[in-house]
Amino acid sequence: MGGDSSNSLPRESPCLSYWQRTTRAFPHLFANQNNPVPARIKSVVLGSGLSGSLTTFELLEAGVKGEDVIILEAREAASGASSRNAGHVRPDAFRGYSAYAKVHGPEQALKIIANERLVLEKVDEFVKKHDVQCDFNLTSTFDVCMTEEFAKYEAESLKAYELAGGDISHIKFYEGEEAKEKTGIPDAVAAYEWPAGSSHPAKLTQFLLQSVMERGVQLFTFCPATAITTNQSSLHLWDVHTPRGIMTAEKIIHCTNAQAALLLPQLESCVTPNRAQAHSLVPSPAFAATNALQSTYSLRYSLYHFYSLIQRQGDGTIILGVSRSNPTLSSETLEGRFSTDDSHYNQEIADDALRSFHQIFPTFSSSDAHGEGLDHSWTGIIAMTPDWVPLVGGIETLPGQYICAGFNGHGMARIFTCAPGVAKLVMGHDWSTTGLPECFQFTPMRISQLSEGNLPFIW
Ligand SMILES: Cc1cc2nc3c(=O)[nH]c(=O)nc-3n(C[C@H](O)[C@H](O)[C@H](O)COP(=O)(O)OP(=O)(O)OC[C@H]3O[C@@H](n4cnc5c(N)ncnc54)[C@H](O)[C@@H]3O)c2cc1C
């Protein structure tokens, strides 16, 4: 099992993230790991990440019976990007507008940004309504410009977004001394602040899995779907092949993230796996107790060189993420990101992240106590699409099959509208009921455009 492209299965021996290391007692981690799959089921959800678990949850909310749904997961429960990310639930407030507008036009670009803002509200609402113990922290985030050039780029992006009619009423701007003081970063040139959150993403996904399993859904872990073929007796049924048997199903929902093309080969050049890395740090006294950071951060030197930062309430752990295309890294490390190998981390990336973090926050300086500082490093695989937006919807050429994947490293800021959207489509509703930007829709024309690869390079 496990290759190095979008048409391979996830690797067999992934490393564990901070999030996984702190949830090893989740009782369904190895659910049904030795049991054969049933011969017949109505619906199969492929993948137990946030996309698969929330889609299943929404199907049940819409009246589907739990006994009629099976989730297949290639490894342990929720072992993909949803349990390996940097913990941010952080909408893009304006920065991506111009880039999205180049590919999708101004109207769609505004909708893409508005959709991320809506997701933050939906996550907040959901966590409160269901009392989800996932350490969700609704706060504000800083986009910190660490260079004059990037401050200029952000100012132009904000202007373009505002001119197009984008809402900026929730965005605050600081420059010079005020930016330094607000962010606590001596080298900050400018900063923008808007509402955002952080969560323990594994706990959120596990809550969803637990909830659907309590209502009759069966999760089969270590049970990848290896092929899907047309059933011999009916063109309206699909045979899902697994190492533990073949299951005949009416509906299949692909929530397989960067590995979607194994079962949907037409996506080979539309979904590209990219390896990303994050780190957990135990705070020094300068970041502990009442000194803990109250907001989250994106620390930006350029479009390709940035770091993300959240500090968790409770245990105070700092989670530090790194941009995948950081030009200060060696060409070998940069090449290595085109991989599905999440079994280990890259030392050069960890060293760069730590060095930069200390430069950006000189006050972090450790008290040298054993146990402080870098705690753990891990990797995970994100799914990039050439037009930077997810693939959501019914697959016309394969009636009864649907997809909800390709979140371009923004799943936490997108899945809470995309998964409910795909669930509506599965229930027979029109695309218009999803409320999603039209450019997210999986259409034959979009797939052929993406496959031709002639989209403008946007950032
Ligand atoms: C290091 C890192 C940092 C990130 N930081 C952030 C962040 O701060 N904020 C943010 O919004 N996003 C972030 N992301 C991206 C975010 O984690 C993803 O967009 C999101 O988790 C995708 O969810 P998913 O359910 O689509 O995929 P996954 O969680 O990967 O779930 C897909 C599942 O499908 C399974 N699978 C694949 N193929 C098969 C098959 N054939 N049969 C059965 N099962 C299969 C996989 O094993 C996996 O469990 C980050 C990602 C990484 C790796």
Side-chain angles (χ1 to χ4, degrees):
M1 182 156 63
D4 217 10
S5 68
S6 57
N7 57 14
S8 59
L9 283 171
R11 293 285 178 129
E12 257 179 2
S13 310
C15 63
L16 293 184
S17 69
Y18 163 85
W19 314 112
Q20 291 172 293
R21 280 161 42 120
T22 49
T23 51
R24 299 310 290 160
F26 178 57
H28 305 301
L29 271 190
F30 311 139
N32 283 312
Q33 69 167 328
N34 296 314
N35 295 339
V37 295
R40 190 78 165 82
I41 188 80
K42 280 195 174 150
S43 300
V44 179
V45 174
L46 302 173
S48 66
L50 187 59
S51 172
S53 57
L54 184 57
T55 300
T56 309
F57 185 95
E58 292 291 327
L59 287 174
L60 267 50
E61 295 291 293
V64 170
K65 287 196 192 124
E67 304 81 71
D68 290 337
V69 187
I70 276 181
I71 304 176
L72 290 184
E73 167 53 54
R75 309 191 296 198
E76 68 175 42
S79 53
S82 299
S83 292
R84 298 173 175 278
N85 60 48
H88 248 146
V89 186
R90 184 180 198 269
D92 179 351
F94 65 91
R95 184 175 358 94
Y97 169 78
S98 303
Y100 290 131
K102 276 189 205 155
V103 176
H104 300 287
E107 191 190 316
Q108 290 297 308
L110 287 176
K111 288 189 181 183
I112 294 168
I113 307 269
N115 175 64
E116 295 208 1
R117 192 171 171 192
L118 180 62
V119 167
L120 180 66
E121 284 169 25
K122 294 268 176 213
V123 175
D124 184 41
E125 219 175 83
F126 186 91
V127 165
K128 285 186 181 134
K129 180 173 173 195
H130 300 283
D131 190 24
V132 187
Q133 303 299 308
C134 67
D135 310 334
F136 181 64
N137 179 23
L138 182 63
T139 177
S140 74
T141 190
F142 289 110
D143 230 31
V144 187
C145 306
M146 300 298 299
T147 64
E148 294 287 350
E149 296 75 40
F150 199 70
K152 189 165 172 274
Y153 179 88
E154 290 256 273
E156 284 167 7
S157 300
L158 184 73
K159 201 167 161 194
Y161 177 65
E162 192 182 2
L163 277 175
D167 178 16
I168 60 161
S169 57
H170 57 308
I171 305 170
K172 293 179 191 149
F173 172 64
Y174 314 104
E175 58 187 336
E177 284 310 310
E178 197 185 10
K180 297 180 203 304
E181 192 241 312
K182 288 279 182 193
T183 62
I185 298 175
D187 291 339
V189 174
Y192 297 81
E193 185 182 11
W194 63 84
S198 64
S199 75
H200 189 308
K203 285 186 185 171
L204 174 59
T205 310
Q206 289 169 4
F207 167 87
L208 290 162
L209 290 174
Q210 171 91 35
S211 165
V212 297
M213 290 173 79
E214 278 167 5
R215 289 184 270 169
V217 172
Q218 288 194 73
L219 165 66
F220 284 78
T221 59
F222 300 95
C223 191
T226 50
I228 298 173
T229 53
T230 312
N231 181 270
Q232 297 292 317
S233 64
S234 165
L235 284 177
H236 301 294
L237 295 174
W238 299 102
D239 287 342
V240 182
H241 298 245
T242 82
R244 298 214 294 279
I246 298 176
M247 238 181 332
T248 303
E250 287 159 37
K251 293 187 173 156
I252 298 172
I253 304 131
H254 297 255
C255 300
T256 44
N257 190 19
Q259 261 107 356
L262 173 71
L263 303 167
L264 298 169
Q266 66 270 44
L267 296 187
E268 194 167 352
S269 51
C270 305
V271 179
T272 313
N274 254 227
R275 182 170 54 196
Q277 185 163 318
H279 314 82
S280 53
L281 282 74
V282 176
S284 64
F287 281 69
T290 51
N291 298 326
L293 298 170
Q294 298 305 312
S295 297
T296 77
Y297 289 78
S298 178
L299 305 154
R300 301 215 150 229
Y301 291 90
S302 73
L303 271 180
Y304 305 103
H305 183 190
F306 59 90
Y307 304 89
S308 76
L309 190 70
I310 66 159
Q311 183 163 15
R312 288 170 40 67
Q313 292 183 315
D315 72 1
T317 296
I318 291 170
I319 307 287
L320 180 61
V322 189
S323 56
R324 285 155 293 116
S325 316
N326 176 352
T328 66
L329 298 171
S330 68
S331 51
E332 192 189 346
T333 294
L334 287 172
E335 266 309 299
R337 74 183 187 277
F338 299 113
S339 171
T340 59
D341 185 357
D342 53 6
S343 65
H344 62 280
Y345 72 97
N346 176 296
Q347 189 63 49
E348 186 190 349
I349 296 177
D351 291 345
D352 167 77
L354 261 276
R355 197 172 42 243
S356 301
F357 178 70
H358 281 280
Q359 264 166 19
I360 294 168
F361 290 104
T363 53
F364 185 81
S365 59
S366 170
S367 65
D368 285 339
H370 176 64
E372 257 176 38
L374 182 64
D375 164 55
H376 187 55
S377 309
W378 65 93
T379 48
I381 311 302
I382 65 177
M384 302 303 292
T385 59
D387 60 0
W388 299 89
V389 293
L391 298 160
V392 182
I395 305 173
E396 272 177 43
T397 49
L398 306 170
Q401 295 196 39
Y402 300 81
I403 185 166
C404 184
F407 294 100
N408 289 272
H410 262 228
M412 300 296 128
R414 285 177 160 166
I415 292 172
F416 260 77
T417 51
C418 290
V422 84
K424 283 206 173 77
L425 300 172
V426 174
M427 297 305 291
H429 300 292
D430 289 344
W431 175 265
S432 61
T433 64
T434 67
L436 292 168
E438 289 76 7
C439 61
F440 287 11
Q441 192 172 4
F442 185 103
T443 63
M445 191 197 283
R446 178 171 168 213
I447 297 310
S448 101
Q449 277 170 350
L450 295 184
S451 306
E452 281 162 19
N454 51 8
L455 287 166
F457 184 68
I458 53 173
W459 42 31

